[in-house]
């Protein structure tokens, strides 16, 4: 997963990215690469392609009429990936791309007022085959540099048993423990109007959804999300779409809970139903493809038909659009095995499915809804009106005893109980000291810790495996020669004389 260092620093103070990468790798979350996002250009603005036509004197060139927010310009380009309505980066006359200045040039008798740029020419990607198509949330005349602020992006391999690290707050918590720095949570202003109601969702399928939290909001104004949010989404590989959709993706990347927003007025009955798909039921998905479902798939439906494939992808018929004013946002906890099976059967893997199939905690749903509601109220003007929380199987806290002697026996080094307790507390465990060691309760988002050895692993990771001295294994079991063992076994067998004579 891609993590933005500047985003992580919202929650914890960090040293140089090289030290961050080293610490994470030593603690079991390998940093595969570090990408430096540092643009080196000036005078490049967003332009809207209004018209395309062939160059009258060159078969491989075309003329693009673009609007910069202030004026219309004509640019000659050889790119073939452009369409009318695209938003593209335009290096205006006098712009600088690294050490290169852009001026007006004439191509086969036609003057070009600037240059349309590829990702490679801007230094923000490796694609040089076509012009960089910008997100719909950008505006003509906007400085392209603001879309790619300086940042360090780390690509971290998250193990399958640690879905709690598939978000910026989760990784920041890990870094907080590793560098012994205080952790700061997201700044969220409280929002009123989240009154409980049982009318937003009904669970018809049992055993497939551990928790389903749905929040209705009205008076939403759908538009572009702010530049800072768009920049963070782009940095972590997510394309900005609109403020409401971007908020659901932002909260997923921040807190780890996938979410989905429905246009409530496009839902038959204005509420949601969790059920198994009907044989041959079809769903027009957000990726532009229509898929045929079966009774093994879980769907989120309205009163008539499926509107989303649970844990995988939403549908287009109830998708949030420019005309949307009333929405329902949901944060659910799906059976990981069923999500994995549906994703495999349909050949569809998404950001949501990759998280759900690892087994998310139902404790994530409510904080995600609260964070999303606060952001929607701030950035889209939505007013919360109803809240439904269906919680079928509640989490039961697990208390784990950890004798101090077990830490030394497993790790091979004596770590003081006070230090072990501090490490676990830094990872959000509730710790109680005992005469022979400690007792710890894992946080609700850590479903992978159930036995003492799990606690020992946590202590060892943060303490530092590199600090544990290398020793040769001691001799515990005497190894005897095969024939020695055979002789010893035969000597235990007593054969009486009559039996021997009978055998003869």
């Amino acid at each position: 997963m891609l993590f933005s260092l500047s985003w992580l620093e919202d929650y914890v103070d960090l040293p140089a990215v090289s030290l961050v990468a080293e610490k994470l790798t030593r603690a079991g979350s390998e940093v595969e690469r570090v990408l430096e996002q540092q643009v080196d250009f000036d005078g490049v603005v967003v332009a809207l392609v209004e018209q395309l036509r062939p160059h009258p004197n060159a078969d491989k060139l075309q003329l693009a009429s673009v609007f910069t927010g202030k004026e219309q310009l004509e640019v000659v380009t050889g790119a073939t990936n452009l369409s009318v309505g695209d938003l593209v980066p335009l290096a205006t006359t006098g712009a600088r791309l690294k050490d290169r200045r852009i001026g007006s040039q004439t191509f086969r008798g036609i003057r070009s007022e600037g240059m349309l740029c590829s990702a490679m020419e801007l230094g923000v990607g490796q694609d040089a085959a076509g012009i960089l198509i910008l997100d719909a949330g950008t505006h003509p005349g906007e400085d392209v540099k603001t879309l790619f602020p300086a940042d360090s992006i780390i690509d971290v391999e998250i193990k399958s048993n640690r879905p709690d690290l598939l978000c910026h707050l989760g990784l920041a918590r890990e870094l907080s423990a590793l560098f012994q720095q205080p952790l700061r949570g997201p700044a969220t202003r409280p929002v009123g109007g989240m009154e409980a109601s049982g009318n937003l969702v009904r669970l018809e399928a049992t055993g497939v959804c551990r928790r389903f939290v749905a929040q209705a909001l009205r008076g939403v104004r759908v538009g572009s999300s702010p530049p800072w949010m768009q920049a963070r989404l782009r940095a972590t590989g997510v394309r900005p779409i609109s403020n409401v959709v971007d908020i659901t993706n932002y909260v997923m990347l921040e807190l780890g809970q996938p979410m989905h927003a429905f246009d409530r007025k496009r839902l038959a009955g204005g509420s949601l139903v969790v059920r198994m798909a009907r044989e041959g039921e079809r769903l027009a998905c957000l990726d532009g493809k229509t898929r045929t479902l079966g009774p093994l798939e879980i769907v989120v439906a309205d009163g008539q038909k499926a509107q989303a494939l649970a844990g995988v992808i939403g549908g287009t018929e109830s998708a949030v659009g420019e005309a949307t004013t009333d929405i329902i946002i949901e944060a659910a906890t799906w059976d990981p095995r069923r999500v994995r099976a549906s994703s495999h059967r349909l050949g569809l893997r998404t950001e949501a499915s990759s998280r759900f199939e690892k087994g998310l905690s139902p404790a994530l749903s409510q904080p995600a809804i609260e964070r999303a509601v606060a952001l929607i109220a701030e950035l889209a003007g939505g007013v919360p009106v109803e809240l439904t929380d269906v919680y079928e199987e509640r989490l039961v806290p697990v208390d784990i005893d950890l004798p101090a002697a077990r830490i030394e026996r497993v790790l091979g080094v004596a770590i003081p109980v006070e230090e072990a307790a501090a490490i676990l507390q830094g990872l959000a465990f509730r710790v109680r000291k005992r005469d022979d060691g400690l007792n710890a309760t894992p946080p609700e988002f850590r479903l992978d810790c159930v036995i003492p050895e799990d606690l020992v692993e946590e202590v060892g990771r943060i303490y530092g495996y590199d600090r544990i001295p290398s020793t040769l294994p001691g001799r515990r079991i005497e190894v005897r020669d095969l024939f020695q063992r055979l002789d010893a076994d035969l000597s235990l067998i007593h054969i009486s004389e009559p039996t021997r004579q009978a055998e003869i």
Side-chain angles (χ1 to χ4, degrees), residues 320-340:
V320 172
E322 293 181 358
T324 299
T325 58
D326 296 351
I327 65 172
I328 296 177
I329 56 172
E330 61 86 2
T333 309
W334 303 104
D335 181 346
R337 294 166 298 181
R338 289 182 178 270
V339 171
R340 187 183 305 112

Side-chain angles (χ1 to χ4, degrees), residues 53 109 142 152 337 349 372 378 429 458 504:
R53 62 186 190 278
E142 190 174 353
S152 296
R337 294 166 298 181
R349 186 174 174 81
E378 178 183 351
F429 287 72
E458 295 302 298
I504 294 174

